[in-house]
């Protein structure tokens, strides 16, 4: 199977090469916003929107501006500026449309600007020499994988609040152990499709 076929891109990005659990990108919002499922879904939706737009815009900037004018060395700074602008736009829209979600996400919404998963995907699609359609499919799948990992982790953390976790393991220690076990569970998907 071609590793850049749409099916391989989708399955590979969501399960096999999950951005949080396999590549360890986007750990800050993964640990910070995963205390309840509702805020995890909101963060996942915001990341999906920003990641899709960022990938589209950065791909076009690279293809039609940076590469033709031999300005590839400006790639990272240009991408960061684009992502920061998109996050500001999402923040303004959420503040007006969904103030409760805006309050729930709190400081983690502006942190999408520095979410290395968004920047990482924008850079990866260029490094892997994907075309525009593959880039869009890949970025959407990465965002879905991010959201899936976030929601599963939030559900587990909500359940752990109801159980008797030893005092020394409460909070961050049990969250890290749980994240490690979740990452190992996702490793079980390896071999289904080639890693894109």
């Amino acid at each position: 199977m071609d590793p850049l076929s749409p099916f391989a891109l989708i399955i590979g990005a969501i399960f096999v090469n999950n951005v949080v659990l396999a590549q360890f990108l986007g750990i800050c919002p993964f640990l910070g916003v995963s205390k309840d499922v509702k805020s995890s879904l909101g963060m996942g939706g915001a990341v999906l929107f920003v990641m899709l737009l960022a990938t589209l815009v950065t791909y076009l900037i690279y293809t039609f501006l940076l590469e033709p004018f031999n300005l590839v060395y400006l790639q990272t700074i240009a991408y960061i500026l684009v992502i920061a602008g998109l996050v500001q736009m999402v923040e303004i829209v959420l503040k007006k449309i969904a103030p409760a979600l805006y309050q729930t996400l709190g400081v983690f919404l502006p942190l999408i600007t520095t979410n290395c998963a968004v920047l990482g995907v924008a850079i990866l699609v260029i490094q892997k020499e994907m075309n525009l359609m593959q880039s869009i499919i890949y970025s959407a799948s990465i965002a879905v994988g991010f959201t899936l990992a976030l929601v599963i982790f939030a559900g587990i953390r909500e359940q752990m609040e109801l159980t008797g976790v030893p005092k020394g393991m409460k909070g961050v220690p049990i969250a890290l152990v749980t994240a490690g076990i979740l990452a190992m569970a996702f490793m079980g998907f390896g071999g289904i499709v080639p890693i894109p």
Side-chain angles (χ1 to χ4, degrees):
M1 178 187 304
D2 176 19
L4 294 179
S5 72
F7 177 75
L9 280 175
I10 292 167
I11 299 301
I14 294 173
F15 298 109
V16 179
N17 205 13
N18 186 284
V19 71
V20 177
L21 301 173
Q23 297 180 30
F24 306 111
L25 298 173
I27 297 293
C28 180
F30 178 70
L31 292 174
V33 185
S34 61
K35 291 183 179 146
D36 67 278
V37 174
K38 187 176 179 184
S39 61
S40 297
L41 283 170
M43 176 58 90
V47 168
L48 173 67
F49 180 73
V50 169
M51 198 173 284
L52 272 172
L53 273 179
T55 302
L56 175 66
V57 172
T58 56
Y59 183 90
L60 295 174
I61 286 173
Y62 183 86
T63 304
F64 296 112
L65 185 67
L66 298 179
E67 194 175 37
F69 293 105
N70 207 14
L71 299 170
V72 177
Y73 60 90
L74 294 174
Q75 178 184 23
T76 304
I77 192 78
Y79 287 11
I80 289 171
L81 291 172
V82 166
I83 292 166
L86 290 172
V87 170
Q88 282 295 324
M89 186 177 72
V90 169
E91 197 170 352
I92 290 168
V93 169
L94 273 182
K95 197 173 191 179
K96 296 237 185 239
I97 293 175
L101 179 59
Y102 176 78
Q103 290 294 333
T104 303
L105 293 176
V107 72
F108 295 102
L109 186 58
L111 283 178
I112 294 175
T113 304
T114 57
N115 186 343
C116 52
V118 177
L119 179 61
V121 169
I123 292 172
L124 280 173
V125 297
I126 299 300
Q127 286 179 346
K128 293 175 186 267
E129 299 177 357
M130 295 181 183
N131 61 36
L132 184 59
M133 185 54 70
Q134 290 169 333
S135 299
I136 297 298
I137 291 169
Y138 184 69
S139 66
S141 301
I142 287 285
V144 168
F146 177 84
T147 305
L148 178 67
L150 200 62
V151 168
I152 291 172
F153 190 54
I156 293 170
R157 286 183 79 177
E158 279 184 354
Q159 186 64 33
M160 280 192 303
E161 291 295 319
L162 304 173
T163 61
V165 177
K167 186 177 178 184
M169 290 295 288
K170 285 190 184 230
V172 175
I174 194 68
L176 292 174
V177 169
T178 305
I181 292 170
L182 191 57
M184 287 191 295
F186 269 65
M187 283 175 60
F189 292 109
I192 294 175
V193 294
I195 295 176

